[in-house]
Amino acid sequence: MDQNIRKPSHRLTFEEAVEVQIRILRGELHSRIAPDYDVNAGRISEVKTGKIHHGSYEEALRRLEKAA
C-alpha cells in the first residue's frame, strides 16, 4: 500500500494565510481555495476567523489597500 495516501495535508504558512485572506476578501469560496493549498475548507475557515495565523487578515487588508 502506498504510504503517501496517509500523508497529512499541507500546513499553511503565514504568507499563504495572507493570500487566503485576500482571496476570501475578493469573494472566493472556501471550497475553491482549499484545494490550491492541499488543505480542507476547515483550515480556510480557521484562517478567516483568526484561529490560526492571527494577523493575516490585517496584513491582507494592508496589501489590498497598498495595491489600490
Side-chain angles (χ1 to χ4, degrees), residues 4 9 14-15 25 28 45 51-53 60 62 64-65 68:
N4 289 334
S9 61
F14 182 82
E15 184 61 32
L25 288 166
E28 289 188 55
S45 179
K51 184 173 181 180
I52 60 174
H53 296 301
R62 188 189 68 76
L64 285 172
E65 289 171 358

Side-chain angles (χ1 to χ4, degrees), residues 2-62:
D2 187 356
Q3 294 299 321
N4 289 334
I5 293 172
R6 300 292 299 157
K7 181 181 173 194
S9 61
H10 178 69
R11 184 170 294 204
L12 292 169
T13 66
F14 182 82
E15 184 61 32
E16 289 170 331
V18 173
E19 293 170 8
V20 165
Q21 292 284 15
I22 290 170
R23 292 175 71 174
I24 291 169
L25 288 166
R26 290 182 173 156
E28 289 188 55
L29 297 173
H30 296 193
S31 59
R32 300 269 172 96
I33 298 169
D36 291 343
Y37 297 94
D38 189 28
V39 298
N40 65 40
R43 299 301 76 77
I44 302 303
S45 179
E46 289 176 348
V47 169
K48 180 180 179 182
T49 62
K51 184 173 181 180
I52 60 174
H53 296 301
H54 180 73
S56 60
Y57 176 77
E58 291 79 7
E59 178 62 18
L61 285 178
R62 188 189 68 76

